[in-house]
Amino acid sequence: MERRSFLRGAVIGTSAAAFGGTLWQGAASAAPAQPGPGPYGALGAADANGIQLPAGFTSRVIARSGQKVAGTSYTWHNAPDGGACFTDGSGWIYVSNSEINPSGGAGAVRFSSTGAITGAYRILSGTRTNCAGGKTPWNTWLSCEEVSLGYVYETDPWGVNAAVRRDAMGRFKHEAAAADPVRRVVYLTEDETNGCLYRFIPTTWGDLSSGTLQVLVAGTATSGSFGWANVPDPDGSPTATRSQVSGAKRFNGGEGCHYANDTVWFTTKGDNRLWQLNLDAGTYELAYDDSLVTGGSAPLTGVDNVTGSSSGDLFVAEDGGNMEICLITPDDVVASFLRINGQSGSEITGPAFSPDGRRLYFSSQRGTSGSSSGGITYEVTGPFRA
């Protein structure tokens, strides 16, 4: 099978040891290259927030769980998780889920054009274990419940319109969502050891109240062709959605999901892999597998949330590992972008770029305390590649 270059889609052959020699996936007999510094160079010493960054980058704390967001009356939620940014006039909004049960839900912080915080508020309440989700092209936030028979809720980042439960998108242990405006579908990951990858086809694009839920169907290999089959009973009862279709492809703990340039990227935490669906070609394959890295020097472990930048770089947050956000470039280089020190009992969640691409937001879900009440949400500013 011809294999595409990591983000750009150029065919690079069938037996390369790694994407461009630096991304560790491909023939098992190959000798993978060792990791090196990425486009931003090596990480510097930890700053006052305990974050190691490349030269030219700085960090600040935006919010802490249990404390009021600066200049607002909103108390930041516990266990901040998946997030996204939305344009708000000349400023922007960062939304963040709360992965606790009960309560859960999601909150938001509003910023001015200079990055000053101008407001914070709740956008979803009364739900359970809201883990990841996804942004829609019509500027709503899909907040996903990571519980058995969980729902997807469509929320308003401005907090004006009430959140709506989207039953047609299926009931299962939801993780992340990624909208594909070309095919007019939404891809959904499932956090089960034998989970599946789904897509939801709305009856009308822009309206998630009705539509068809499908599951990816493929063989057991790590690469090949795929198709889609309708899930007969999306409400998952009495038979779980992942058990309704013969031949449904199994993935070990689906996590983050990102769509860009006719490709879907998603992570599986159970086997520490990054997968890609080449939608034009109708093929799937591994894009990253740390078990193929020699010498125990894999730069990316504990794969979780994933997002993309305007340069085409993919940023993958770690759940555990050494608490890094790693990047994978269009030239197929995998490198550490930042590292949080002194928070080994936490995980990094919710990476998302401001609309101008100059600021990266993310959270340490449990902070230094290792408890859901110790979450910290950060902003990193610097010379991100355009």
Side-chain angles (χ1 to χ4, degrees):
M1 180 185 73
E2 288 185 322
R3 181 159 53 77
R4 296 181 176 190
S5 178
F6 189 76
L7 290 176
R8 290 177 176 162
V11 172
I12 63 173
T14 59
S15 60
F19 294 88
T22 52
L23 182 56
W24 300 277
Q25 190 275 325
S29 60
Q34 295 304 307
Y40 299 110
L43 301 183
D47 64 12
N49 297 318
I51 299 180
Q52 293 180 247
L53 292 161
F57 289 86
T58 59
S59 75
R60 68 165 170 160
V61 173
I62 297 301
R64 294 180 183 270
S65 294
Q67 298 182 22
K68 293 187 185 304
V69 178
T72 78
S73 61
Y74 178 66
T75 300
W76 196 238
H77 45 269
N78 288 348
D81 206 285
C85 283
F86 297 81
T87 299
D88 178 43
S90 60
W92 58 90
I93 295 168
Y94 176 67
V95 301
S96 169
N97 281 343
S98 175
E99 195 186 14
I100 60 172
N101 188 6
S103 297
V109 180
R110 179 178 279 130
F111 299 87
S112 72
S113 59
T114 64
I117 295 173
T118 60
Y121 45 89
R122 195 79 170 177
I123 63 172
L124 177 65
S125 300
T127 55
R128 304 172 295 163
T129 317
N130 294 78
C131 193
K135 178 180 178 179
T136 70
W138 48 93
N139 289 319
T140 59
W141 167 246
L142 303 180
S143 184
C144 298
E145 289 185 315
E146 189 195 354
V147 294
S148 179
L149 297 179
Y151 289 102
V152 175
Y153 289 82
E154 187 170 16
T155 68
D156 175 15
W158 287 263
V160 175
N161 299 310
V164 180
R165 197 177 76 189
R166 295 306 189 188
D167 296 15
M169 300 184 80
R171 297 192 67 186
F172 52 89
K173 200 172 184 181
H174 284 277
E175 184 68 34
D180 175 353
V182 177
R183 292 152 197 86
R184 298 190 168 189
V185 302
V186 179
Y187 304 97
L188 302 159
T189 55
E190 181 179 28
D191 192 358
E192 298 276 8
T193 57
N194 62 340
C196 294
L197 182 73
Y198 302 86
R199 74 174 182 181
F200 178 69
I201 309 172
T203 303
T204 302
W205 185 237
D207 180 355
L208 303 177
S209 61
S210 66
T212 302
L213 183 68
Q214 297 184 324
V215 65
L216 186 138
V217 176
T220 58
T222 56
S223 64
S225 60
F226 68 87
W228 300 96
N230 291 351
V231 175
D233 184 13
D235 83 350
S237 180
T239 304
T241 54
R242 65 185 181 279
S243 301
Q244 294 181 24
V245 175
S246 176
K249 175 72 175 174
R250 304 296 173 181
F251 295 98
N252 189 354
E255 289 286 337
C257 191
H258 177 68
Y259 168 85
N261 301 325
D262 299 315
T263 304
V264 178
W265 312 97
F266 64 99
T267 60
T268 50
K269 66 181 181 184
D271 46 20
N272 205 54
R273 288 171 166 175
L274 173 69
W275 299 80
Q276 67 179 82
L277 297 186
N278 298 324
L279 299 170
D280 281 345
T283 59
Y284 73 94
E285 62 188 300
L286 278 177
Y288 178 85
D289 183 350
D290 78 334
S291 68
L292 298 181
V293 180
T294 59
S297 56
L300 175 58
T301 59
V303 298
D304 202 312
N305 290 173
V306 58
T307 194
S309 69
S310 58
S311 66
D313 295 334
L314 200 67
F315 286 72
V316 186
E318 291 185 339
D319 179 351
N322 55 355
M323 285 289 288
E324 292 185 340
I325 293 180
C326 292
L327 65 84
I328 308 175
T329 74
D331 296 323
D332 312 322
V333 172
V334 184
S336 303
F337 172 72
L338 65 79
R339 180 181 303 141
I340 304 176
N341 291 279
Q343 301 185 32
S344 59
S346 187
E347 61 184 276
I348 299 179
T349 59
F353 282 91
S354 60
D356 63 7
R358 298 173 60 186
R359 302 167 192 258
L360 174 65
Y361 296 92
F362 61 93
S363 295
S364 171
Q365 189 180 78
R366 295 178 292 279
T368 57
S369 70
S371 166
S372 63
S373 61
I376 309 170
T377 299
Y378 300 95
E379 173 194 84
V380 165
T381 305
F384 287 103
R385 305 197 304 170

